[in-house]
PDB file of all heavy atoms in Angstrom:
ATOM      1  N   VAL A  18      -4.651   7.965  13.524  1.00  0.00           N
ATOM      2  CA  VAL A  18      -3.962   9.063  12.886  1.00  0.00           C
ATOM      3  C   VAL A  18      -3.000   8.573  11.779  1.00  0.00           C
ATOM      4  O   VAL A  18      -2.390   7.520  11.873  1.00  0.00           O
ATOM      5  CB  VAL A  18      -3.245   9.924  13.881  1.00  0.00           C
ATOM      6  CG1 VAL A  18      -2.504  11.061  13.240  1.00  0.00           C
ATOM      7  CG2 VAL A  18      -4.205  10.439  14.918  1.00  0.00           C
ATOM      8  N   VAL A  19      -3.089   9.298  10.677  1.00  0.00           N
ATOM      9  CA  VAL A  19      -2.102   9.103   9.568  1.00  0.00           C
ATOM     10  C   VAL A  19      -0.883  10.059   9.657  1.00  0.00           C
ATOM     11  O   VAL A  19      -1.144  11.248   9.767  1.00  0.00           O
ATOM     12  CB  VAL A  19      -2.733   9.082   8.221  1.00  0.00           C
ATOM     13  CG1 VAL A  19      -1.769   9.049   7.026  1.00  0.00           C
ATOM     14  CG2 VAL A  19      -3.767   7.922   8.153  1.00  0.00           C
ATOM     15  N   ASN A  20       0.282   9.641   9.503  1.00  0.00           N
ATOM     16  CA  ASN A  20       1.494  10.546   9.411  1.00  0.00           C
ATOM     17  C   ASN A  20       1.197  11.652   8.292  1.00  0.00           C
ATOM     18  O   ASN A  20       0.794  11.323   7.277  1.00  0.00           O
ATOM     19  CB  ASN A  20       2.758   9.846   9.202  1.00  0.00           C
ATOM     20  CG  ASN A  20       3.194   9.094  10.482  1.00  0.00           C
ATOM     21  OD1 ASN A  20       3.181   9.697  11.549  1.00  0.00           O
ATOM     22  ND2 ASN A  20       3.582   7.872  10.357  1.00  0.00           N
ATOM     23  N   ASP A  21       1.770  12.838   8.511  1.00  0.00           N
ATOM     24  CA  ASP A  21       1.629  13.938   7.565  1.00  0.00           C
ATOM     25  C   ASP A  21       2.124  13.607   6.283  1.00  0.00           C
ATOM     26  O   ASP A  21       1.699  14.103   5.234  1.00  0.00           O
ATOM     27  CB  ASP A  21       2.316  15.264   8.192  1.00  0.00           C
ATOM     28  CG  ASP A  21       1.425  15.654   9.396  1.00  0.00           C
ATOM     29  OD1 ASP A  21       0.231  15.462   9.445  1.00  0.00           O
ATOM     30  OD2 ASP A  21       2.007  16.600  10.119  1.00  0.00           O
ATOM     31  N   PHE A  22       3.271  12.762   6.223  1.00  0.00           N
ATOM     32  CA  PHE A  22       4.055  12.689   4.934  1.00  0.00           C
ATOM     33  C   PHE A  22       3.154  11.807   3.939  1.00  0.00           C
ATOM     34  O   PHE A  22       3.387  11.761   2.748  1.00  0.00           O
ATOM     35  CB  PHE A  22       5.466  12.003   5.136  1.00  0.00           C
ATOM     36  CG  PHE A  22       5.480  10.865   6.033  1.00  0.00           C
ATOM     37  CD1 PHE A  22       4.940   9.514   5.697  1.00  0.00           C
ATOM     38  CD2 PHE A  22       6.025  11.029   7.341  1.00  0.00           C
ATOM     39  CE1 PHE A  22       5.155   8.562   6.573  1.00  0.00           C
ATOM     40  CE2 PHE A  22       6.165  10.039   8.224  1.00  0.00           C
ATOM     41  CZ  PHE A  22       5.759   8.667   7.808  1.00  0.00           C
ATOM     42  N   PHE A  23       2.147  11.104   4.459  1.00  0.00           N
ATOM     43  CA  PHE A  23       1.288  10.392   3.533  1.00  0.00           C
ATOM     44  C   PHE A  23       0.500  11.392   2.674  1.00  0.00           C
ATOM     45  O   PHE A  23      -0.040  11.174   1.604  1.00  0.00           O
ATOM     46  CB  PHE A  23       0.296   9.528   4.187  1.00  0.00           C
ATOM     47  CG  PHE A  23       0.930   8.194   4.696  1.00  0.00           C
ATOM     48  CD1 PHE A  23       1.510   7.993   5.976  1.00  0.00           C
ATOM     49  CD2 PHE A  23       1.110   7.136   3.762  1.00  0.00           C
ATOM     50  CE1 PHE A  23       2.149   6.867   6.302  1.00  0.00           C
ATOM     51  CE2 PHE A  23       1.661   5.902   4.193  1.00  0.00           C
ATOM     52  CZ  PHE A  23       2.164   5.797   5.412  1.00  0.00           C
ATOM     53  N   PHE A  24       0.172  12.532   3.324  1.00  0.00           N
ATOM     54  CA  PHE A  24      -0.636  13.634   2.593  1.00  0.00           C
ATOM     55  C   PHE A  24       0.192  14.360   1.662  1.00  0.00           C
ATOM     56  O   PHE A  24      -0.200  14.891   0.619  1.00  0.00           O
ATOM     57  CB  PHE A  24      -1.253  14.544   3.667  1.00  0.00           C
ATOM     58  CG  PHE A  24      -2.377  13.866   4.592  1.00  0.00           C
ATOM     59  CD1 PHE A  24      -1.985  13.399   5.752  1.00  0.00           C
ATOM     60  CD2 PHE A  24      -3.667  13.849   4.119  1.00  0.00           C
ATOM     61  CE1 PHE A  24      -2.974  12.820   6.658  1.00  0.00           C
ATOM     62  CE2 PHE A  24      -4.689  13.203   4.931  1.00  0.00           C
ATOM     63  CZ  PHE A  24      -4.254  12.751   6.174  1.00  0.00           C
ATOM     64  N   SER A  25       1.471  14.562   2.103  1.00  0.00           N
ATOM     65  CA  SER A  25       2.272  15.556   1.229  1.00  0.00           C
ATOM     66  C   SER A  25       3.103  14.870   0.080  1.00  0.00           C
ATOM     67  O   SER A  25       3.644  15.659  -0.757  1.00  0.00           O
ATOM     68  CB  SER A  25       3.297  16.199   2.205  1.00  0.00           C
ATOM     69  OG  SER A  25       4.119  15.259   2.880  1.00  0.00           O
ATOM     70  N   GLY A  26       3.106  13.618   0.067  1.00  0.00           N
ATOM     71  CA  GLY A  26       3.948  12.951  -1.072  1.00  0.00           C
ATOM     72  C   GLY A  26       3.361  13.139  -2.381  1.00  0.00           C
ATOM     73  O   GLY A  26       2.158  13.366  -2.526  1.00  0.00           O
ATOM     74  N   GLU A  27       4.258  13.138  -3.425  1.00  0.00           N
ATOM     75  CA  GLU A  27       3.778  13.364  -4.709  1.00  0.00           C
ATOM     76  C   GLU A  27       3.537  12.029  -5.429  1.00  0.00           C
ATOM     77  O   GLU A  27       4.346  11.077  -5.399  1.00  0.00           O
ATOM     78  CB  GLU A  27       4.883  14.075  -5.609  1.00  0.00           C
ATOM     79  CG  GLU A  27       5.130  15.579  -5.154  1.00  0.00           C
ATOM     80  CD  GLU A  27       3.897  16.352  -5.543  1.00  0.00           C
ATOM     81  OE1 GLU A  27       3.256  15.988  -6.564  1.00  0.00           O
ATOM     82  OE2 GLU A  27       3.542  17.310  -4.809  1.00  0.00           O
ATOM     83  N   ARG A  28       2.408  11.849  -6.084  1.00  0.00           N
ATOM     84  CA  ARG A  28       2.023  10.654  -6.686  1.00  0.00           C
ATOM     85  C   ARG A  28       2.819  10.413  -7.985  1.00  0.00           C
ATOM     86  O   ARG A  28       2.963  11.398  -8.672  1.00  0.00           O
ATOM     87  CB  ARG A  28       0.612  10.490  -7.041  1.00  0.00           C
ATOM     88  CG  ARG A  28      -0.359  10.363  -5.774  1.00  0.00           C
ATOM     89  CD  ARG A  28      -1.702   9.969  -6.075  1.00  0.00           C
ATOM     90  NE  ARG A  28      -1.657   8.546  -6.870  1.00  0.00           N
ATOM     91  CZ  ARG A  28      -1.381   7.366  -6.363  1.00  0.00           C
ATOM     92  NH1 ARG A  28      -1.225   7.306  -5.054  1.00  0.00           N
ATOM     93  NH2 ARG A  28      -1.407   6.344  -7.102  1.00  0.00           N
ATOM     94  N   THR A  29       3.242   9.239  -8.226  1.00  0.00           N
ATOM     95  CA  THR A  29       3.875   8.811  -9.550  1.00  0.00           C
ATOM     96  C   THR A  29       2.796   8.485 -10.510  1.00  0.00           C
ATOM     97  O   THR A  29       2.147   7.488 -10.303  1.00  0.00           O
ATOM     98  CB  THR A  29       4.951   7.751  -9.311  1.00  0.00           C
ATOM     99  OG1 THR A  29       5.886   8.133  -8.347  1.00  0.00           O
ATOM    100  CG2 THR A  29       5.534   7.441 -10.628  1.00  0.00           C
ATOM    101  N   PRO A  30       2.638   9.195 -11.607  1.00  0.00           N
ATOM    102  CA  PRO A  30       1.561   8.805 -12.660  1.00  0.00           C
ATOM    103  C   PRO A  30       1.733   7.485 -13.095  1.00  0.00           C
ATOM    104  O   PRO A  30       2.829   7.037 -13.205  1.00  0.00           O
ATOM    105  CB  PRO A  30       1.734   9.926 -13.671  1.00  0.00           C
ATOM    106  CG  PRO A  30       2.424  11.036 -13.018  1.00  0.00           C
ATOM    107  CD  PRO A  30       3.358  10.401 -12.067  1.00  0.00           C
ATOM    108  N   ARG A  31       0.680   6.850 -13.449  1.00  0.00           N
ATOM    109  CA  ARG A  31       0.706   5.523 -13.933  1.00  0.00           C
ATOM    110  C   ARG A  31       1.299   5.606 -15.406  1.00  0.00           C
ATOM    111  O   ARG A  31       0.771   6.450 -16.228  1.00  0.00           O
ATOM    112  CB  ARG A  31      -0.752   4.828 -14.089  1.00  0.00           C
ATOM    113  CG  ARG A  31      -0.653   3.381 -14.687  1.00  0.00           C
ATOM    114  CD  ARG A  31      -1.990   2.769 -14.585  1.00  0.00           C
ATOM    115  NE  ARG A  31      -2.005   1.486 -15.232  1.00  0.00           N
ATOM    116  CZ  ARG A  31      -2.965   0.639 -15.292  1.00  0.00           C
ATOM    117  NH1 ARG A  31      -4.143   1.005 -14.708  1.00  0.00           N
ATOM    118  NH2 ARG A  31      -2.887  -0.485 -15.883  1.00  0.00           N
ATOM    119  N   GLY A  32       2.232   4.759 -15.784  1.00  0.00           N
ATOM    120  CA  GLY A  32       2.775   4.845 -17.030  1.00  0.00           C
ATOM    121  C   GLY A  32       2.275   3.750 -17.952  1.00  0.00           C
ATOM    122  O   GLY A  32       1.171   3.182 -17.733  1.00  0.00           O
ATOM    123  N   ALA A  33       2.987   3.407 -18.930  1.00  0.00           N
ATOM    124  CA  ALA A  33       2.536   2.425 -19.978  1.00  0.00           C
ATOM    125  C   ALA A  33       2.888   0.987 -19.534  1.00  0.00           C
ATOM    126  O   ALA A  33       2.366   0.089 -20.185  1.00  0.00           O
ATOM    127  CB  ALA A  33       3.181   2.707 -21.272  1.00  0.00           C
ATOM    128  N   GLY A  34       3.633   0.834 -18.370  1.00  0.00           N
ATOM    129  CA  GLY A  34       3.850  -0.544 -18.015  1.00  0.00           C
ATOM    130  C   GLY A  34       2.843  -1.249 -17.243  1.00  0.00           C
ATOM    131  O   GLY A  34       1.619  -0.853 -17.266  1.00  0.00           O
ATOM    132  N   PRO A  35       3.238  -2.373 -16.493  1.00  0.00           N
ATOM    133  CA  PRO A  35       2.123  -2.975 -15.715  1.00  0.00           C
ATOM    134  C   PRO A  35       1.521  -2.269 -14.684  1.00  0.00           C
ATOM    135  O   PRO A  35       2.245  -1.271 -14.165  1.00  0.00           O
ATOM    136  CB  PRO A  35       3.003  -4.225 -15.191  1.00  0.00           C
ATOM    137  CG  PRO A  35       4.204  -4.248 -16.062  1.00  0.00           C
ATOM    138  CD  PRO A  35       4.526  -2.875 -16.527  1.00  0.00           C
ATOM    139  N   CYS A  36       0.301  -2.594 -14.316  1.00  0.00           N
ATOM    140  CA  CYS A  36      -0.365  -1.842 -13.213  1.00  0.00           C
ATOM    141  C   CYS A  36       0.349  -2.265 -11.928  1.00  0.00           C
ATOM    142  O   CYS A  36       0.629  -3.415 -11.531  1.00  0.00           O
ATOM    143  CB  CYS A  36      -1.802  -2.433 -13.169  1.00  0.00           C
ATOM    144  SG  CYS A  36      -2.813  -1.600 -11.783  1.00  0.00           S
ATOM    145  N   ARG A  37       0.698  -1.241 -11.112  1.00  0.00           N
ATOM    146  CA  ARG A  37       1.487  -1.339  -9.956  1.00  0.00           C
ATOM    147  C   ARG A  37       0.530  -1.616  -8.752  1.00  0.00           C
ATOM    148  O   ARG A  37      -0.130  -0.692  -8.349  1.00  0.00           O
ATOM    149  CB  ARG A  37       2.330  -0.101  -9.723  1.00  0.00           C
ATOM    150  CG  ARG A  37       3.283   0.279 -10.844  1.00  0.00           C
ATOM    151  CD  ARG A  37       3.673   1.691 -10.851  1.00  0.00           C
ATOM    152  NE  ARG A  37       2.599   2.656 -10.954  1.00  0.00           N
ATOM    153  CZ  ARG A  37       2.605   3.893 -10.845  1.00  0.00           C
ATOM    154  NH1 ARG A  37       3.833   4.472 -10.766  1.00  0.00           N
ATOM    155  NH2 ARG A  37       1.594   4.650 -10.894  1.00  0.00           N
ATOM    156  N   LEU A  38       0.568  -2.748  -8.245  1.00  0.00           N
ATOM    157  CA  LEU A  38      -0.262  -3.120  -7.075  1.00  0.00           C
ATOM    158  C   LEU A  38       0.508  -3.229  -5.802  1.00  0.00           C
ATOM    159  O   LEU A  38       1.733  -3.686  -5.926  1.00  0.00           O
ATOM    160  CB  LEU A  38      -1.001  -4.477  -7.286  1.00  0.00           C
ATOM    161  CG  LEU A  38      -1.820  -4.567  -8.630  1.00  0.00           C
ATOM    162  CD1 LEU A  38      -2.397  -5.935  -8.768  1.00  0.00           C
ATOM    163  CD2 LEU A  38      -3.010  -3.459  -8.608  1.00  0.00           C
ATOM    164  N   LEU A  39      -0.062  -2.883  -4.667  1.00  0.00           N
ATOM    165  CA  LEU A  39       0.644  -2.951  -3.378  1.00  0.00           C
ATOM    166  C   LEU A  39      -0.211  -3.775  -2.356  1.00  0.00           C
ATOM    167  O   LEU A  39      -1.397  -3.420  -2.209  1.00  0.00           O
ATOM    168  CB  LEU A  39       0.908  -1.510  -2.876  1.00  0.00           C
ATOM    169  CG  LEU A  39       1.603  -1.349  -1.389  1.00  0.00           C
ATOM    170  CD1 LEU A  39       2.984  -1.972  -1.483  1.00  0.00           C
ATOM    171  CD2 LEU A  39       1.578   0.033  -1.190  1.00  0.00           C
ATOM    172  N   CYS A  40       0.503  -4.556  -1.639  1.00  0.00           N
ATOM    173  CA  CYS A  40      -0.161  -5.338  -0.577  1.00  0.00           C
ATOM    174  C   CYS A  40       0.749  -5.037   0.832  1.00  0.00           C
ATOM    175  O   CYS A  40       1.887  -5.456   0.788  1.00  0.00           O
ATOM    176  CB  CYS A  40      -0.220  -6.736  -0.856  1.00  0.00           C
ATOM    177  SG  CYS A  40      -0.828  -7.753   0.479  1.00  0.00           S
ATOM    178  N   VAL A  41       0.248  -4.522   1.708  1.00  0.00           N
ATOM    179  CA  VAL A  41       0.975  -4.179   3.013  1.00  0.00           C
ATOM    180  C   VAL A  41       0.320  -5.148   4.064  1.00  0.00           C
ATOM    181  O   VAL A  41      -0.802  -5.109   4.358  1.00  0.00           O
ATOM    182  CB  VAL A  41       0.761  -2.769   3.487  1.00  0.00           C
ATOM    183  CG1 VAL A  41       1.574  -2.609   4.746  1.00  0.00           C
ATOM    184  CG2 VAL A  41       1.336  -1.853   2.381  1.00  0.00           C
ATOM    185  N   THR A  42       1.167  -6.198   4.473  1.00  0.00           N
ATOM    186  CA  THR A  42       0.613  -7.361   5.154  1.00  0.00           C
ATOM    187  C   THR A  42       1.518  -7.652   6.334  1.00  0.00           C
ATOM    188  O   THR A  42       2.472  -7.004   6.640  1.00  0.00           O
ATOM    189  CB  THR A  42       0.348  -8.557   4.306  1.00  0.00           C
ATOM    190  OG1 THR A  42      -0.278  -9.537   4.909  1.00  0.00           O
ATOM    191  CG2 THR A  42       1.787  -9.045   3.743  1.00  0.00           C
ATOM    192  N   THR A  43       1.123  -8.800   7.095  1.00  0.00           N
ATOM    193  CA  THR A  43       1.911  -9.299   8.221  1.00  0.00           C
ATOM    194  C   THR A  43       2.093 -10.797   7.986  1.00  0.00           C
ATOM    195  O   THR A  43       1.489 -11.337   7.130  1.00  0.00           O
ATOM    196  CB  THR A  43       1.340  -8.901   9.482  1.00  0.00           C
ATOM    197  OG1 THR A  43       0.124  -9.696   9.821  1.00  0.00           O
ATOM    198  CG2 THR A  43       0.962  -7.409   9.705  1.00  0.00           C
ATOM    199  N   ALA A  44       2.720 -11.424   8.942  1.00  0.00           N
ATOM    200  CA  ALA A  44       2.801 -12.874   8.931  1.00  0.00           C
ATOM    201  C   ALA A  44       1.599 -13.555   9.418  1.00  0.00           C
ATOM    202  O   ALA A  44       1.561 -14.726   9.316  1.00  0.00           O
ATOM    203  CB  ALA A  44       4.066 -13.273   9.675  1.00  0.00           C
ATOM    204  N   ALA A  45       0.542 -12.790   9.941  1.00  0.00           N
ATOM    205  CA  ALA A  45      -0.608 -13.472  10.398  1.00  0.00           C
ATOM    206  C   ALA A  45      -1.547 -13.953   9.298  1.00  0.00           C
ATOM    207  O   ALA A  45      -2.496 -13.182   8.911  1.00  0.00           O
ATOM    208  CB  ALA A  45      -1.385 -12.428  11.358  1.00  0.00           C
ATOM    209  N   GLU A  46      -1.198 -14.980   8.616  1.00  0.00           N
ATOM    210  CA  GLU A  46      -1.790 -15.485   7.417  1.00  0.00           C
ATOM    211  C   GLU A  46      -3.258 -15.750   7.733  1.00  0.00           C
ATOM    212  O   GLU A  46      -4.143 -15.482   6.714  1.00  0.00           O
ATOM    213  CB  GLU A  46      -1.030 -16.621   6.850  1.00  0.00           C
ATOM    214  CG  GLU A  46      -1.637 -17.231   5.588  1.00  0.00           C
ATOM    215  CD  GLU A  46      -1.441 -16.351   4.422  1.00  0.00           C
ATOM    216  OE1 GLU A  46      -0.747 -15.316   4.607  1.00  0.00           O
ATOM    217  OE2 GLU A  46      -2.012 -16.651   3.418  1.00  0.00           O
ATOM    218  N   TRP A  47      -3.621 -16.174   8.886  1.00  0.00           N
ATOM    219  CA  TRP A  47      -5.043 -16.580   9.117  1.00  0.00           C
ATOM    220  C   TRP A  47      -5.861 -15.378   9.040  1.00  0.00           C
ATOM    221  O   TRP A  47      -7.129 -15.384   8.802  1.00  0.00           O
ATOM    222  CB  TRP A  47      -5.163 -17.173  10.541  1.00  0.00           C
ATOM    223  CG  TRP A  47      -4.756 -16.235  11.597  1.00  0.00           C
ATOM    224  CD1 TRP A  47      -3.581 -16.134  12.102  1.00  0.00           C
ATOM    225  CD2 TRP A  47      -5.583 -15.416  12.399  1.00  0.00           C
ATOM    226  NE1 TRP A  47      -3.498 -15.183  13.183  1.00  0.00           N
ATOM    227  CE2 TRP A  47      -4.870 -14.802  13.302  1.00  0.00           C
ATOM    228  CE3 TRP A  47      -7.026 -15.226  12.417  1.00  0.00           C
ATOM    229  CZ2 TRP A  47      -5.370 -13.830  14.251  1.00  0.00           C
ATOM    230  CZ3 TRP A  47      -7.527 -14.316  13.267  1.00  0.00           C
ATOM    231  CH2 TRP A  47      -6.728 -13.700  14.130  1.00  0.00           C
ATOM    232  N   LEU A  48      -5.256 -14.144   9.328  1.00  0.00           N
ATOM    233  CA  LEU A  48      -5.878 -12.922   9.383  1.00  0.00           C
ATOM    234  C   LEU A  48      -5.846 -12.194   7.972  1.00  0.00           C
ATOM    235  O   LEU A  48      -6.804 -11.758   7.409  1.00  0.00           O
ATOM    236  CB  LEU A  48      -5.414 -11.987  10.383  1.00  0.00           C
ATOM    237  CG  LEU A  48      -6.054 -10.714  10.737  1.00  0.00           C
ATOM    238  CD1 LEU A  48      -7.468 -10.976  11.364  1.00  0.00           C
ATOM    239  CD2 LEU A  48      -5.281  -9.918  11.702  1.00  0.00           C
ATOM    240  N   LYS A  49      -4.648 -12.081   7.448  1.00  0.00           N
ATOM    241  CA  LYS A  49      -4.325 -11.297   6.208  1.00  0.00           C
ATOM    242  C   LYS A  49      -4.632 -11.921   4.987  1.00  0.00           C
ATOM    243  O   LYS A  49      -4.827 -11.331   3.890  1.00  0.00           O
ATOM    244  CB  LYS A  49      -2.906 -10.645   6.364  1.00  0.00           C
ATOM    245  CG  LYS A  49      -2.624  -9.804   7.493  1.00  0.00           C
ATOM    246  CD  LYS A  49      -3.426  -8.539   7.387  1.00  0.00           C
ATOM    247  CE  LYS A  49      -3.178  -7.579   8.640  1.00  0.00           C
ATOM    248  NZ  LYS A  49      -3.971  -6.334   8.631  1.00  0.00           N
ATOM    249  N   ASN A  50      -4.392 -13.275   4.921  1.00  0.00           N
ATOM    250  CA  ASN A  50      -4.723 -14.082   3.769  1.00  0.00           C
ATOM    251  C   ASN A  50      -3.920 -13.634   2.545  1.00  0.00           C
ATOM    252  O   ASN A  50      -4.514 -13.466   1.370  1.00  0.00           O
ATOM    253  CB  ASN A  50      -6.292 -14.066   3.504  1.00  0.00           C
ATOM    254  CG  ASN A  50      -6.674 -15.032   2.462  1.00  0.00           C
ATOM    255  OD1 ASN A  50      -6.013 -16.064   2.223  1.00  0.00           O
ATOM    256  ND2 ASN A  50      -7.830 -14.897   1.795  1.00  0.00           N
ATOM    257  N   THR A  51      -2.629 -13.502   2.656  1.00  0.00           N
ATOM    258  CA  THR A  51      -1.851 -13.054   1.634  1.00  0.00           C
ATOM    259  C   THR A  51      -1.781 -14.210   0.585  1.00  0.00           C
ATOM    260  O   THR A  51      -1.708 -13.891  -0.723  1.00  0.00           O
ATOM    261  CB  THR A  51      -0.356 -12.831   2.067  1.00  0.00           C
ATOM    262  OG1 THR A  51      -0.485 -11.806   3.183  1.00  0.00           O
ATOM    263  CG2 THR A  51       0.466 -12.172   1.049  1.00  0.00           C
ATOM    264  N   THR A  52      -1.816 -15.364   0.882  1.00  0.00           N
ATOM    265  CA  THR A  52      -1.803 -16.574   0.008  1.00  0.00           C
ATOM    266  C   THR A  52      -3.083 -16.455  -0.923  1.00  0.00           C
ATOM    267  O   THR A  52      -3.035 -16.759  -2.112  1.00  0.00           O
ATOM    268  CB  THR A  52      -1.834 -17.933   0.626  1.00  0.00           C
ATOM    269  OG1 THR A  52      -0.703 -17.905   1.585  1.00  0.00           O
ATOM    270  CG2 THR A  52      -1.784 -18.944  -0.306  1.00  0.00           C
TER     271      THR A  52
END
């Protein structure tokens, strides 16, 4: 299940600046491979 506020939030339109990337991870590097 996803919390309701993920559905109700307002998106911020992409502007002229750099592309905004997001990585949600953990310290389990063998699994998540953040490096």
Side-chain angles (χ1 to χ4, degrees):
V18 178
V19 171
N20 284 315
D21 289 339
F22 47 75
F23 282 96
F24 295 93
S25 59
E27 291 293 327
R28 288 198 58 75
T29 304
R31 181 174 176 179
C36 182
R37 303 160 302 179
L38 305 176
L39 175 65
C40 174
V41 182
T42 187
T43 71
E46 182 64 10
W47 65 275
L48 187 68
K49 298 298 184 181
N50 193 21
T51 309
T52 305

